[in-house]
Amino acid sequence: MAGSLAAVLSGCRGGSPPSSSTGSGGPASATTSAAEGASQGATAGPLRWANWPAYIDRRGGQRPTLDRFVAQSGIEVDYAVPIKDNAAFLDTVGDRLAARADIGYDLITLTTWAAARLVADGNVQAFGPIEHGDRVISALASPPWDPEQRFAMPWQAGLTGIAYDARSVDRAIGSVAELVERRDLAGRVGLLTEWNDTLGMVLLAQGRDLADLSADLIRESLDYVRERAAAGQFRGYYGNEYLGALHRGELAACLAWSGDILQAQLSNPYLKFVVPEEGLLIWSDDLLVPAASTRSAEVAALVDYYYRPAVAARLAAACTICPVQGRRRRWRRSRLPGGEPADLPRPDDPGRRRAGSPRCRTRSSLTRSAAISPPPSLGRIVP
């Protein structure tokens, strides 16, 4: 599918198109491996980390696992949450990434499709393999675009499904087909700016095999989304902002990410996360080191720290789905509100079925070495 699909969707992004780069056509050579980095001294100043909101454990004004790393390693970390959407973030740093210039961060956390592109374009550098890298869950291990996992490691994993506020709907929503067709939801449905998720879920709803797609099937699905948008079914496309739209009642239902909803349920018990009848997607947001950073050795130490099961368990207690094997037994000892959600497929076993649950698909089966990108302008799909 790689060739024909690329011809249909080449060079497109979610939301506003970020700056693109051509690079040298392959990953940049590693400037530092994790092993080599151990012998190098730290660069002056804190390690600058750009992440998504609600993607680390918090207690009051503290970040316990990160604070412990700083205390143990002596590596200061300047932690920021500027990323709300991959494309919007890449809009702000894309030109500097392409020029191999400092972007203001030494570590960035981006979804797999964006990570794969940056690796292919040579805009990031190697920091691995890390010592505990073999603990990554099997569904996310050794992607085709980074088989030795030298350039990227999953930070968080999750599932893409359906969310709705039970107070805003007349009856439960059980499928993507209902989400995009039910007339009582018209104008109150949100899709995701991450087009891997939106298109992937629509393709599943149409009964497509994500591992066997053609350009014609992709076009048909895009046309279908446009048709439903023209009919007034969708309010718009969202990154994490869908949480606020659900809270304000602007949305009754939307495609959503499991971690967001399971955390939001702590303050709104009417909020539901649904495993659609047609299936769902498993995804990861990956850690990357921009090419201009001089801190790859320290990044390797930080990532390796978070891949230790005891640390991963603490992080999982706050962020719900963690991509590290071996932490589940420790996690169950943690005091979690409601414990591990029993109705979600296990992220490290995407082919396993639970009673009443559909098969879980990885995004990599949708995109392989280059992720599916959105149409040229989502803004023109939804008025």
Side-chain angles (χ1 to χ4, degrees):
M1 99 181 219
S4 58
L5 183 56
V8 179
L9 299 171
S10 174
C12 307
R13 301 289 195 275
S16 300
S19 301
S20 61
S21 60
T22 55
S24 60
S29 298
T31 59
T32 301
S33 70
E36 292 167 342
S39 64
Q40 297 185 5
T43 302
L47 179 69
R48 304 162 298 172
W49 183 359
N51 208 345
W52 299 72
Y55 248 26
I56 201 166
D57 52 315
R58 297 294 299 268
R59 184 176 300 155
Q62 307 298 312
R63 302 181 182 94
T65 58
L66 185 58
D67 294 343
R68 191 172 294 111
F69 169 78
V70 171
Q72 292 176 359
S73 68
I75 300 171
E76 294 293 330
V77 179
D78 182 2
Y79 184 87
V81 289
I83 306 174
K84 310 298 190 298
D85 173 272
N86 289 286
F89 179 72
L90 288 173
D91 266 344
T92 67
V93 301
D95 288 341
R96 284 172 288 163
L97 273 172
R100 317 295 194 270
D102 180 42
I103 67 167
Y105 301 105
D106 302 296
L107 179 61
I108 57 178
T109 313
L110 295 176
T111 307
T112 299
W113 70 262
R117 282 199 174 136
L118 294 181
V119 170
D121 288 345
N123 293 339
V124 294
Q125 61 179 288
F127 63 88
I130 61 172
E131 180 181 352
H132 292 96
D134 59 352
R135 295 187 184 277
V136 66
I137 59 177
S138 59
L140 301 175
S142 301
W145 48 272
D146 186 21
E148 297 178 0
Q149 296 196 285
R150 299 169 61 229
F151 295 89
M153 286 298 293
W155 168 246
Q156 290 296 306
L159 308 171
T160 303
I162 296 171
Y164 68 91
D165 191 309
R167 298 168 297 183
S168 300
V169 298
D170 295 332
R171 62 186 188 278
I173 303 169
S175 67
V176 178
E178 289 182 77
L179 191 71
V180 299
E181 294 282 354
R182 267 177 47 177
R183 297 185 64 179
D184 61 304
L185 300 176
R188 301 188 297 150
V189 172
L191 300 183
L192 294 167
T193 56
E194 293 296 320
W195 203 241
N196 289 4
D197 295 291
T198 290
L199 186 57
M201 296 302 287
V202 170
L203 285 162
L204 286 178
Q206 294 177 317
R208 308 303 187 191
D209 182 352
L210 302 189
D212 185 22
L213 296 173
S214 67
D216 286 342
L217 291 178
I218 297 296
R219 291 190 189 96
E220 288 177 12
S221 292
L222 291 174
D223 289 343
Y224 174 67
V225 173
R226 291 187 178 98
E227 174 190 316
R228 298 307 304 149
Q233 187 71 9
F234 310 132
R235 182 177 179 88
Y237 293 81
Y238 299 80
N240 291 86
E241 303 90 350
Y242 66 76
L243 289 171
L246 285 167
H247 176 73
R248 294 187 297 271
E250 297 167 4
L251 293 178
C254 61
L255 293 178
W257 297 309
S258 57
D260 287 345
I261 301 304
L262 292 170
Q263 289 185 62
Q265 285 174 332
L266 297 177
S267 58
N268 180 7
Y270 294 99
L271 203 57
K272 309 297 180 183
F273 182 80
V274 178
V275 177
E277 295 172 3
E278 301 96 339
L280 44 69
L281 299 173
I282 182 172
W283 48 264
S284 70
D285 290 326
D286 301 334
L287 298 167
L288 302 149
V289 181
S293 174
T294 60
R295 314 298 289 274
S296 59
E298 293 150 281
V299 168
L302 174 65
V303 178
D304 193 66
Y305 164 80
Y306 274 105
Y307 266 73
R308 298 172 187 172
V311 180
R314 296 186 187 100
L315 185 64
C319 298
T320 307
I321 296 183
C322 178
V324 181
Q325 297 183 53
R327 53 84 186 153
R328 199 168 271 106
R329 177 173 56 85
R330 295 175 183 267
W331 184 6
R332 281 197 286 264
R333 294 176 186 164
S334 302
R335 296 181 179 180
L336 297 179
E340 183 179 6
D343 58 336
L344 296 182
R346 295 162 59 117
D348 57 350
D349 191 5
R352 176 177 176 175
R353 288 177 180 265
R354 293 189 176 191
S357 294
R359 187 177 181 86
C360 177
R361 310 295 182 91
T362 63
R363 277 179 177 162
S364 60
S365 67
L366 175 67
T367 61
R368 299 301 175 189
S369 61
I372 285 180
S373 304
S377 173
L378 289 177
R380 287 197 291 270
I381 295 178
V382 178

Coordinates of all heavy atoms in Angstrom, one line a residue, residues 138-215:
S138 N 5.0 -5.7 23.2 CA 5.3 -6.3 21.9 C 4.6 -5.6 20.8 O 5.1 -5.5 19.6 CB 4.9 -7.8 21.9 OG 3.5 -7.9 22.2
A139 N 3.4 -5.0 21.0 CA 2.6 -4.3 19.9 C 3.4 -3.1 19.4 O 3.1 -2.6 18.3 CB 1.3 -3.9 20.5
L140 N 4.3 -2.5 20.2 CA 5.0 -1.3 19.8 C 6.5 -1.5 19.6 O 7.2 -0.5 19.4 CB 4.7 -0.2 20.9 CG 3.3 0.1 21.2 CD1 3.2 1.1 22.4 CD2 2.6 0.7 19.9
A141 N 6.9 -2.7 19.7 CA 8.4 -3.0 19.6 C 8.8 -3.0 18.2 O 8.1 -3.4 17.3 CB 8.7 -4.3 20.3
S142 N 10.0 -2.5 17.9 CA 10.7 -2.6 16.6 C 9.9 -2.2 15.5 O 9.6 -3.0 14.5 CB 11.3 -4.0 16.4 OG 12.1 -4.4 17.5
P143 N 9.4 -0.9 15.4 CA 8.6 -0.5 14.2 C 9.5 -0.5 13.0 O 10.7 -0.4 13.1 CB 8.2 0.9 14.6 CG 9.2 1.4 15.5 CD 9.6 0.2 16.3
P144 N 8.9 -0.7 11.8 CA 9.7 -0.8 10.6 C 10.6 0.4 10.3 O 11.6 0.3 9.7 CB 8.6 -0.9 9.5 CG 7.4 -1.4 10.2 CD 7.5 -0.9 11.5
W145 N 10.2 1.6 10.8 CA 10.9 2.8 10.5 C 12.1 3.0 11.6 O 12.9 3.9 11.4 CB 10.0 4.0 10.5 CG 9.0 4.1 11.7 CD1 7.8 3.5 11.8 CD2 9.2 4.7 12.9 NE1 7.2 3.8 13.0 CE2 8.1 4.5 13.7 CE3 10.3 5.5 13.5 CZ2 7.9 5.0 15.0 CZ3 10.1 6.0 14.8 CH2 9.0 5.7 15.5
D146 N 12.1 2.2 12.6 CA 13.2 2.3 13.6 C 13.3 0.9 14.3 O 13.1 0.7 15.4 CB 12.8 3.3 14.6 CG 14.0 3.6 15.6 OD1 15.1 3.2 15.3 OD2 13.7 4.1 16.7
P147 N 13.7 -0.1 13.5 CA 13.7 -1.5 14.0 C 14.5 -1.8 15.2 O 14.2 -2.7 16.0 CB 14.1 -2.3 12.8 CG 14.9 -1.4 11.9 CD 14.2 -0.1 12.1
E148 N 15.6 -1.0 15.4 CA 16.5 -1.2 16.5 C 16.1 -0.3 17.7 O 16.7 -0.3 18.7 CB 17.9 -1.0 16.1 CG 18.4 -2.1 15.1 CD 19.9 -1.8 14.7 OE1 20.5 -0.9 15.2 OE2 20.4 -2.6 13.9
Q149 N 15.1 0.6 17.4 CA 14.7 1.6 18.4 C 15.8 2.4 18.9 O 16.0 2.6 20.1 CB 13.9 0.9 19.5 CG 12.6 0.3 18.9 CD 11.5 -0.1 19.9 OE1 11.6 -1.1 20.6 NE2 10.4 0.7 19.9
R150 N 16.6 2.9 18.0 CA 17.7 3.8 18.3 C 17.2 5.3 18.3 O 17.8 6.1 19.1 CB 18.8 3.7 17.2 CG 19.4 2.3 17.1 CD 20.3 2.2 15.9 NE 21.4 3.1 15.9 CZ 21.7 3.9 14.9 NH1 21.0 3.8 13.8 NH2 22.7 4.7 15.0
F151 N 16.2 5.6 17.6 CA 15.8 7.0 17.4 C 14.5 7.4 18.2 O 14.2 8.6 18.4 CB 15.5 7.3 16.0 CG 16.8 7.2 15.1 CD1 17.1 6.0 14.5 CD2 17.6 8.4 14.9 CE1 18.3 6.0 13.8 CE2 18.7 8.3 14.2 CZ 19.1 7.1 13.6
A152 N 13.7 6.4 18.6 CA 12.5 6.7 19.3 C 12.1 5.6 20.3 O 12.4 4.4 20.0 CB 11.3 6.9 18.3
M153 N 11.5 6.0 21.4 CA 10.9 5.0 22.3 C 9.5 5.5 22.7 O 9.3 6.7 23.0 CB 11.8 4.9 23.6 CG 13.1 4.1 23.3 SD 12.8 2.3 22.8 CE 12.1 1.6 24.3
P154 N 8.5 4.5 22.8 CA 7.2 5.0 23.2 C 7.2 5.5 24.7 O 7.8 4.9 25.6 CB 6.4 3.7 23.2 CG 7.1 2.8 22.2 CD 8.6 3.1 22.4
W155 N 6.5 6.6 24.8 CA 6.4 7.2 26.1 C 5.1 6.8 26.8 O 5.0 6.4 27.9 CB 6.4 8.8 26.0 CG 6.0 9.5 27.3 CD1 4.9 10.3 27.4 CD2 6.7 9.5 28.6 NE1 4.8 10.8 28.7 CE2 5.9 10.3 29.4 CE3 7.8 8.9 29.1 CZ2 6.3 10.5 30.8 CZ3 8.2 9.1 30.4 CH2 7.4 9.9 31.2
Q156 N 4.0 7.0 26.0 CA 2.7 6.5 26.5 C 2.0 5.8 25.3 O 2.2 6.1 24.2 CB 1.8 7.7 26.9 CG 2.3 8.3 28.2 CD 2.2 7.4 29.4 OE1 1.1 6.8 29.7 NE2 3.3 7.2 30.1
A157 N 1.1 4.9 25.7 CA 0.3 4.2 24.7 C -1.1 4.4 25.1 O -1.5 4.7 26.2 CB 0.7 2.7 24.6
G158 N -2.0 4.1 24.1 CA -3.4 4.3 24.4 C -4.3 3.7 23.3 O -3.8 3.1 22.3
L159 N -5.5 3.8 23.5 CA -6.5 3.3 22.5 C -7.4 4.4 22.0 O -7.7 5.4 22.7 CB -7.4 2.3 23.2 CG -6.7 1.1 24.0 CD1 -7.6 0.3 24.8 CD2 -5.9 0.3 23.0
T160 N -7.7 4.3 20.7 CA -8.7 5.3 20.1 C -10.0 4.6 20.0 O -10.2 3.5 19.4 CB -8.2 5.7 18.7 OG1 -6.9 6.3 18.8 CG2 -9.1 6.8 18.1
G161 N -11.0 5.2 20.6 CA -12.4 4.7 20.6 C -13.4 5.9 20.6 O -13.1 6.9 19.9
I162 N -14.5 5.7 21.2 CA -15.6 6.7 21.2 C -15.8 7.2 22.7 O -15.8 6.4 23.6 CB -16.9 6.1 20.7 CG1 -16.7 5.7 19.2 CG2 -18.0 7.1 20.9 CD1 -17.9 4.9 18.7
A163 N -16.0 8.5 22.8 CA -16.4 9.0 24.1 C -17.7 9.7 24.0 O -18.0 10.4 22.9 CB -15.3 10.0 24.7
Y164 N -18.5 9.7 25.0 CA -19.7 10.5 25.0 C -20.1 10.8 26.5 O -19.7 10.1 27.4 CB -20.9 9.8 24.3 CG -21.4 8.5 24.9 CD1 -22.5 8.6 25.8 CD2 -20.9 7.3 24.6 CE1 -23.0 7.4 26.4 CE2 -21.4 6.1 25.1 CZ -22.5 6.2 26.1 OH -23.0 5.1 26.6
D165 N -20.9 11.9 26.6 CA -21.4 12.2 27.9 C -22.9 11.7 28.0 O -23.7 12.1 27.2 CB -21.4 13.8 28.1 CG -21.7 14.2 29.5 OD1 -22.7 13.7 30.1 OD2 -21.0 15.0 30.1
A166 N -23.1 10.8 28.9 CA -24.4 10.1 29.0 C -25.6 11.1 29.2 O -26.7 10.8 28.8 CB -24.4 9.1 30.1
R167 N -25.3 12.3 29.7 CA -26.3 13.3 29.9 C -26.7 14.0 28.6 O -27.8 14.7 28.5 CB -25.9 14.4 30.9 CG -25.6 13.8 32.3 CD -24.9 14.8 33.1 NE -23.6 15.2 32.6 CZ -22.7 16.0 33.2 NH1 -23.1 16.6 34.3 NH2 -21.6 16.3 32.6
S168 N -25.9 13.8 27.5 CA -26.1 14.5 26.3 C -26.7 13.7 25.2 O -26.9 14.2 24.1 CB -24.8 15.1 25.8 OG -24.3 16.0 26.8
V169 N -26.9 12.4 25.4 CA -27.4 11.5 24.4 C -28.7 10.8 24.9 O -28.9 10.6 26.1 CB -26.4 10.5 24.0 CG1 -25.2 11.2 23.4 CG2 -26.0 9.6 25.2
D170 N -29.6 10.4 24.0 CA -30.8 9.7 24.3 C -30.6 8.2 24.6 O -31.3 7.6 25.4 CB -31.8 9.8 23.2 CG -32.3 11.3 22.9 OD1 -32.2 12.0 23.9 OD2 -32.6 11.6 21.8
R171 N -29.5 7.7 24.0 CA -29.2 6.3 24.2 C -27.7 6.1 24.0 O -27.1 6.9 23.4 CB -30.0 5.4 23.3 CG -29.8 5.6 21.8 CD -30.7 4.7 21.0 NE -30.4 4.7 19.6 CZ -30.8 5.7 18.7 NH1 -31.5 6.7 19.2 NH2 -30.5 5.6 17.4
A172 N -27.2 5.0 24.4 CA -25.8 4.7 24.3 C -25.3 4.6 22.9 O -26.1 4.3 22.0 CB -25.4 3.4 25.1
I173 N -24.0 4.9 22.7 CA -23.4 4.8 21.4 C -22.4 3.7 21.4 O -21.5 3.6 22.3 CB -22.6 6.1 21.1 CG1 -23.6 7.3 21.1 CG2 -22.0 6.0 19.7 CD1 -22.9 8.7 21.1
G174 N -22.6 2.7 20.5 CA -21.8 1.5 20.5 C -20.9 1.3 19.3 O -20.1 0.4 19.3
S175 N -21.0 2.2 18.3 CA -20.2 1.9 17.1 C -19.8 3.3 16.4 O -20.5 4.3 16.6 CB -21.0 1.1 16.1 OG -22.1 1.8 15.6
V176 N -18.8 3.2 15.6 CA -18.4 4.4 14.8 C -19.5 4.7 13.8 O -19.8 5.9 13.5 CB -17.1 4.1 14.1 CG1 -16.7 5.3 13.2 CG2 -16.0 3.8 15.1
A177 N -20.2 3.7 13.3 CA -21.3 3.9 12.3 C -22.4 4.8 12.9 O -22.9 5.7 12.3 CB -21.9 2.6 11.9
E178 N -22.7 4.5 14.2 CA -23.7 5.4 14.9 C -23.1 6.8 15.0 O -23.9 7.8 14.9 CB -24.0 4.8 16.3 CG -24.8 3.5 16.3 CD -25.1 3.1 17.7 OE1 -25.9 3.7 18.4 OE2 -24.4 2.2 18.2
L179 N -21.9 6.9 15.4 CA -21.3 8.2 15.6 C -21.4 9.1 14.4 O -21.7 10.3 14.5 CB -19.8 8.1 16.0 CG -19.1 9.3 16.5 CD1 -19.6 9.7 17.9 CD2 -17.6 9.1 16.5
V180 N -21.2 8.5 13.2 CA -21.2 9.3 12.0 C -22.5 9.3 11.2 O -22.7 10.1 10.2 CB -20.1 8.9 11.0 CG1 -18.7 9.0 11.7 CG2 -20.3 7.4 10.5
E181 N -23.5 8.6 11.7 CA -24.8 8.5 11.0 C -26.0 8.9 11.8 O -27.0 9.3 11.2 CB -25.0 7.0 10.5 CG -24.0 6.5 9.4 CD -24.3 7.1 8.0 OE1 -25.4 7.7 7.9 OE2 -23.5 6.9 7.1
R182 N -26.0 8.7 13.1 CA -27.2 9.0 13.9 C -27.6 10.4 13.8 O -26.9 11.3 14.1 CB -26.9 8.6 15.4 CG -27.4 7.1 15.6 CD -27.1 6.7 17.0 NE -27.5 7.6 18.1 CZ -27.4 7.3 19.4 NH1 -26.9 6.1 19.8 NH2 -27.8 8.2 20.3
R183 N -28.9 10.6 13.4 CA -29.4 12.0 13.2 C -29.5 12.8 14.5 O -29.4 14.0 14.5 CB -30.7 11.9 12.5 CG -30.6 11.3 11.1 CD -31.9 11.3 10.3 NE -32.3 12.7 10.0 CZ -33.4 13.0 9.4 NH1 -34.2 12.1 8.9 NH2 -33.7 14.3 9.2
D184 N -29.8 12.1 15.6 CA -29.9 12.8 16.9 C -28.6 13.3 17.4 O -28.5 14.2 18.3 CB -30.5 11.9 17.9 CG -29.6 10.7 18.2 OD1 -29.3 9.9 17.3 OD2 -29.3 10.5 19.4
L185 N -27.5 12.9 16.8 CA -26.1 13.4 17.1 C -25.6 14.5 16.2 O -24.6 15.1 16.4 CB -25.1 12.3 17.1 CG -25.4 11.1 18.1 CD1 -24.3 10.1 17.9 CD2 -25.4 11.6 19.6
A186 N -26.4 14.8 15.1 CA -26.0 15.7 14.1 C -25.5 17.1 14.7 O -26.2 17.7 15.5 CB -27.1 16.0 13.1
G187 N -24.3 17.5 14.2 CA -23.8 18.8 14.7 C -23.1 18.8 16.0 O -22.6 19.8 16.5
R188 N -23.1 17.6 16.7 CA -22.6 17.5 18.0 C -21.5 16.4 18.1 O -21.2 15.9 19.2 CB -23.7 17.2 19.0 CG -24.8 18.3 19.1 CD -25.7 18.0 20.2 NE -26.5 16.8 20.0 CZ -26.9 16.0 21.0 NH1 -26.7 16.4 22.3 NH2 -27.6 14.9 20.8
V189 N -20.9 16.0 17.0 CA -19.9 15.0 16.9 C -18.6 15.6 16.6 O -18.5 16.4 15.7 CB -20.3 13.9 15.9 CG1 -19.2 12.9 15.7 CG2 -21.6 13.2 16.3
G190 N -17.6 15.1 17.3 CA -16.2 15.6 17.0 C -15.3 14.5 16.5 O -15.4 13.3 17.0
L191 N -14.5 14.8 15.5 CA -13.5 13.9 15.0 C -12.1 14.4 15.4 O -12.0 15.5 16.0 CB -13.6 13.7 13.5 CG -14.9 13.2 12.9 CD1 -14.8 13.0 11.4 CD2 -15.3 11.9 13.6
L192 N -11.1 13.6 15.2 CA -9.8 14.0 15.7 C -8.9 14.6 14.6 O -9.0 14.2 13.4 CB -9.1 12.8 16.2 CG -9.7 12.2 17.5 CD1 -9.1 10.8 17.8 CD2 -9.5 13.1 18.7
T193 N -8.1 15.6 14.9 CA -7.2 16.2 14.0 C -6.1 15.2 13.6 O -5.5 15.3 12.5 CB -6.5 17.5 14.5 OG1 -5.9 17.2 15.8 CG2 -7.6 18.6 14.7
E194 N -5.9 14.2 14.5 CA -4.9 13.2 14.1 C -5.6 12.2 13.1 O -6.4 11.4 13.4 CB -4.5 12.4 15.4 CG -3.7 13.2 16.4 CD -2.4 13.6 15.8 OE1 -1.7 12.8 15.1 OE2 -2.0 14.8 16.0
W195 N -5.2 12.4 11.8 CA -6.0 11.8 10.8 C -5.8 10.3 10.8 O -6.6 9.5 10.2 CB -5.6 12.4 9.4 CG -6.7 12.2 8.4 CD1 -6.5 11.6 7.2 CD2 -8.0 12.7 8.4 NE1 -7.7 11.6 6.5 CE2 -8.7 12.3 7.3 CE3 -8.8 13.4 9.4 CZ2 -10.0 12.5 7.0 CZ3 -10.1 13.6 9.1 CH2 -10.7 13.2 7.9
N196 N -4.6 9.8 11.3 CA -4.5 8.4 11.5 C -5.7 7.8 12.2 O -6.2 6.7 11.9 CB -3.2 8.0 12.3 CG -2.0 8.3 11.5 OD1 -2.0 8.8 10.4 ND2 -0.8 8.0 12.1
D197 N -6.1 8.5 13.3 CA -7.2 8.0 14.1 C -8.5 8.1 13.4 O -9.3 7.2 13.3 CB -7.2 8.8 15.4 CG -6.0 8.6 16.3 OD1 -5.9 7.4 16.8 OD2 -5.2 9.5 16.4
T198 N -8.8 9.3 12.9 CA -10.1 9.5 12.3 C -10.3 8.6 11.1 O -11.3 7.9 11.0 CB -10.2 11.0 11.8 OG1 -10.4 11.8 13.0 CG2 -11.5 11.2 11.0
L199 N -9.3 8.6 10.2 CA -9.5 7.8 9.0 C -9.4 6.3 9.3 O -10.2 5.5 8.8 CB -8.4 8.1 7.9 CG -8.5 7.4 6.6 CD1 -9.9 7.7 6.0 CD2 -7.4 7.9 5.7
G200 N -8.5 6.0 10.3 CA -8.4 4.6 10.7 C -9.7 4.0 11.2 O -10.2 2.9 10.9
M201 N -10.4 4.8 12.1 CA -11.7 4.4 12.7 C -12.8 4.3 11.6 O -13.6 3.4 11.7 CB -12.1 5.3 13.8 CG -11.1 5.3 15.0 SD -10.9 3.7 15.7 CE -12.4 3.5 16.6
V202 N -12.8 5.2 10.7 CA -13.8 5.2 9.6 C -13.6 4.0 8.8 O -14.5 3.3 8.4 CB -13.8 6.5 8.8 CG1 -14.6 6.3 7.5 CG2 -14.2 7.7 9.6
L203 N -12.3 3.7 8.5 CA -12.0 2.5 7.6 C -12.5 1.2 8.4 O -13.0 0.3 7.7 CB -10.5 2.4 7.3 CG -10.0 3.4 6.3 CD1 -8.5 3.6 6.4 CD2 -10.4 2.9 4.9
L204 N -12.2 1.1 9.7 CA -12.7 0.0 10.4 C -14.2 -0.1 10.4 O -14.8 -1.2 10.2 CB -12.2 0.1 11.9 CG -10.8 -0.2 12.2 CD1 -10.5 -0.1 13.6 CD2 -10.4 -1.6 11.7
A205 N -14.9 1.0 10.5 CA -16.4 1.0 10.4 C -16.9 0.6 9.1 O -18.0 0.0 9.0 CB -16.9 2.5 10.7
Q206 N -16.1 0.8 8.1 CA -16.5 0.3 6.7 C -16.1 -1.1 6.4 O -16.2 -1.6 5.3 CB -15.9 1.2 5.7 CG -16.4 2.7 5.7 CD -15.8 3.6 4.7 OE1 -14.6 3.6 4.6 NE2 -16.6 4.4 4.1
G207 N -15.5 -1.8 7.5 CA -15.1 -3.2 7.3 C -13.8 -3.4 6.6 O -13.6 -4.5 6.1
R208 N -13.0 -2.4 6.5 CA -11.7 -2.5 5.8 C -10.6 -3.1 6.6 O -10.6 -3.0 7.9 CB -11.2 -1.1 5.3 CG -12.2 -0.3 4.6 CD -12.8 -1.0 3.3 NE -13.6 -0.1 2.5 CZ -14.3 -0.5 1.5 NH1 -14.4 -1.8 1.2 NH2 -15.1 0.4 0.9
D209 N -9.7 -3.9 6.0 CA -8.6 -4.4 6.6 C -7.5 -3.4 6.6 O -7.0 -3.1 5.5 CB -8.2 -5.7 5.9 CG -7.0 -6.4 6.5 OD1 -6.3 -5.8 7.4 OD2 -6.6 -7.5 6.1
L210 N -7.0 -2.9 7.7 CA -6.1 -1.8 7.7 C -4.7 -2.2 7.2 O -3.9 -1.4 6.8 CB -5.9 -1.2 9.1 CG -7.2 -0.7 9.7 CD1 -6.9 0.1 11.0 CD2 -8.0 0.2 8.8
A211 N -4.5 -3.5 7.1 CA -3.2 -4.0 6.6 C -3.2 -4.2 5.1 O -2.2 -4.6 4.5 CB -2.8 -5.3 7.3
D212 N -4.4 -4.0 4.5 CA -4.5 -4.3 3.1 C -5.4 -3.2 2.4 O -6.5 -3.4 2.1 CB -5.1 -5.7 2.8 CG -5.2 -6.1 1.4 OD1 -4.4 -5.5 0.6 OD2 -6.0 -6.9 1.0
L213 N -4.8 -2.0 2.3 CA -5.6 -0.9 1.8 C -5.1 -0.5 0.4 O -3.9 -0.7 0.1 CB -5.4 0.4 2.7 CG -6.0 0.2 4.1 CD1 -5.7 1.4 5.0 CD2 -7.5 0.0 4.0
S214 N -5.9 0.1 -0.4 CA -5.5 0.6 -1.7 C -5.8 2.1 -1.7 O -6.6 2.7 -0.9 CB -6.3 -0.1 -2.8 OG -7.7 0.3 -2.7
A215 N -5.3 2.8 -2.7 CA -5.6 4.2 -2.9 C -7.1 4.5 -3.1 O -7.6 5.4 -2.6 CB -4.8 4.8 -4.1

